[in-house]
Amino acid sequence: MAESYLVLDQVAKSYPRPGQPPLRVLDGLDVAVEEGALLSILGPSGCGKSTLLNIINGLDDATSGTVLLAGKEVTTKTRSGVKIGMVFQQPRLLNWRSVRENVALPLREMGLGTDEIDARVRRYLDIVGLSEFSNYYPLQLSGGMQQRVSLARGLAIEPDLLLADEPFSALDEISARKLRQEFLRIWDRTGTTILFVTHNIREAVFLSTRMLVITARPARVHLDLPVEVPYPRRPDDDALFELEKSVTRDFMRMEEETGLTEIGS
């Protein structure tokens, strides 16, 4: 069996609170992800998904446990040893810079030469279907197009791992549906390993090779489920719909049990 590409080994995170016990956010997460996977992470609001992404991204350290990416430990001190791309809920583009300049910005920070930067910008704008808009400015684009620029920027560094934090949640459903299809096309073309955080069970089922459902804080793995429906997928596929219903029932049951536990405590 091939070695896992991303490994979370008993990752836990607590924050100190004056005069109170520490606030436990993550409670010993054990996850192993294969290279090229598209893993969705679902959980209740406030369960620690953003904290987990920050730890994987090397922006925060776990209280205990380790994160390994391609065999390298990721911490705040070692994050420069790996390349991790990020796509956010909002595009976070610089409105006074052109599309081309926005995608080039992290490449300049990496110290790449001009020819390499130009080649990568052209390649990834072509992949997201925005080559003809390279000289436009963000405010001249639709919300969906801005998010595709953000995706091109995240991919242009040719990351070891791409973290997507609810990238379509601010879009209307029609735009989001189109971008999910585009996202799968881009993932298939690039082969990038992706962690995709979402509150949308239908979205997770449609996109993922695998789904990870985590509990309310302190977060633990509640469900680790492969999505074995073959690609390309259709939103109206009965197999996806049945899986969505099953995960929804399980998710609601988990939240009910968590609520009962909190009342009992």
Side-chain angles (χ1 to χ4, degrees):
M1 182 180 294
E3 291 187 6
S4 297
Y5 187 68
L6 172 67
V7 177
L8 310 182
D9 183 10
Q10 285 294 301
V11 172
K13 181 66 177 181
S14 298
Y15 292 100
R17 294 185 294 181
Q20 300 182 64
L23 177 65
R24 287 191 304 147
V25 179
L26 306 177
D27 190 20
L29 293 178
D30 269 322
V31 182
V33 183
E34 64 275 17
E35 186 171 7
L38 202 171
L39 175 72
S40 287
I41 302 176
L42 297 100
S45 296
C47 70
K49 296 187 294 296
S50 295
T51 298
L52 178 60
L53 288 189
N54 285 338
I55 291 172
I56 294 172
N57 202 4
L59 299 176
D60 196 3
D61 286 322
T63 304
S64 60
T66 57
V67 176
L68 296 174
L69 177 59
K72 300 175 183 178
E73 184 172 2
V74 182
T75 69
T76 54
K77 294 181 179 179
T78 65
R79 71 182 303 265
S80 59
V82 294
K83 290 185 293 182
I84 300 178
M86 191 80 195
V87 183
F88 300 93
Q89 182 176 353
Q90 302 292 339
R92 299 192 181 185
L93 303 176
L94 302 180
N95 291 329
W96 58 93
R97 292 182 182 265
S98 69
V99 164
R100 177 179 54 80
E101 291 166 339
N102 269 280
V103 176
L105 188 61
L107 305 180
R108 299 192 197 286
E109 293 176 354
M110 291 168 62
L112 299 181
T114 300
D115 289 346
E116 176 66 13
I117 290 173
D118 290 345
R120 288 204 196 184
V121 169
R122 285 195 301 271
R123 167 173 164 75
Y124 288 98
L125 284 178
D126 177 63
I127 285 175
V128 302
L130 291 176
S131 295
E132 61 186 294
F133 296 93
S134 63
N135 291 319
Y136 281 58
Y137 288 81
L139 294 181
Q140 296 175 292
L141 306 178
S142 69
M145 293 170 74
Q146 289 182 37
Q147 199 63 303
R148 280 195 275 164
V149 176
S150 176
L151 180 56
R153 181 182 58 193
L155 290 169
I157 68 170
E158 298 185 347
D160 301 304
L161 176 70
L162 182 71
L163 304 177
D165 190 3
E166 300 189 69
F168 308 142
S169 62
L171 301 175
D172 64 87
E173 180 56 28
I174 293 175
S175 298
R177 179 173 292 194
K178 290 178 181 177
L179 269 182
R180 289 174 199 136
Q181 296 275 16
E182 283 294 298
F183 194 80
L184 285 180
R185 180 187 62 80
I186 292 164
W187 168 67
D188 180 65
R189 186 167 171 182
T190 62
T192 305
T193 306
I194 298 175
L195 260 60
F196 190 100
V197 169
T198 178
H199 283 101
N200 188 322
I201 295 174
R202 177 171 297 177
E203 179 172 75
V205 168
F206 178 72
L207 292 174
S208 311
T209 58
R210 183 172 154 207
M211 297 170 59
L212 195 72
V213 178
I214 58 179
T215 67
R217 193 176 64 233
R220 297 178 294 276
V221 175
H222 174 73
L223 181 67
D224 189 341
L225 180 69
V227 182
E228 296 175 337
V229 179
Y231 298 94
R233 293 175 179 171
R234 304 188 325 273
D236 60 350
D237 190 309
D238 288 341
L240 292 175
F241 181 61
E242 290 302 319
L243 182 57
E244 179 190 345
K245 289 197 298 183
S246 175
V247 174
T248 299
R249 285 194 298 266
D250 195 277
F251 194 94
M252 293 178 66
R253 189 181 306 117
M254 178 190 74
E255 290 202 305
E256 289 171 0
E257 291 172 355
T258 300
L260 289 173
T261 300
E262 291 176 348
I263 291 171
S265 64

